[in-house]
Amino acid sequence: MSVLVILIVLLFVLYLFYKTKYFRSNRPAEKKWLSAKSSIALGLFVFFFGINTVYLSQTTVTIIVAAIFIILGGLSSWTGYKAYKHYLPFAVKEAETLKESK
């Protein structure tokens, strides 16, 4: 169970890291790419938080709320991964054109 807590904290820190990089970036493709990465981190955070909640308490309401967290976190991670795969080539191309122009 302590592994889940460490993973939850790590994923939340990654979410904050990617959101900070998102707000500091000026390139549009890189912003979308970083937003997708932060979406993956936040989705996994919610997913593992739901799993941890199931282990902590076994009441009906807790299990229902945890199941909602697990489903929403999984869907958010999956859509973030799809966006990450979509925007990665654009972010690489944008970085290469910026490097060539210098």
Side-chain angles (χ1 to χ4, degrees):
M1 188 162 83
S2 63
V3 173
L4 283 176
V5 173
I6 292 169
L7 193 58
I8 289 169
V9 171
L10 177 67
L11 287 166
F12 186 70
V13 169
L14 280 175
Y15 169 73
L16 292 176
F17 174 74
Y18 289 131
K19 271 301 177 188
T20 304
K21 286 186 73 143
Y22 168 81
F23 286 117
R24 290 182 171 203
S25 177
N26 295 326
R27 298 183 253 168
E30 184 182 41
K31 281 183 88 103
K32 291 180 181 178
W33 180 63
L34 288 169
S35 178
K37 289 171 79 170
S38 68
S39 177
I40 293 169
L42 183 62
L44 288 174
F45 165 77
V46 172
F47 179 81
F48 286 116
F49 187 81
I51 290 175
N52 191 40
T53 305
V54 169
Y55 285 123
L56 292 178
S57 179
Q58 295 286 324
T59 65
T60 305
V61 174
T62 306
I63 291 174
I64 291 170
V65 170
I68 292 170
F69 279 6
I70 291 168
I71 291 168
L72 288 178
L75 289 174
S76 179
S77 301
W78 182 68
T79 56
Y81 177 71
K82 290 291 212 179
Y84 172 83
K85 280 181 28 178
H86 176 74
Y87 290 117
L88 180 62
F90 298 116
V92 169
K93 187 176 181 181
E94 189 177 59
E96 287 174 353
T97 56
L98 184 68
K99 186 188 277 188
E100 290 173 359
S101 67
K102 284 186 178 182

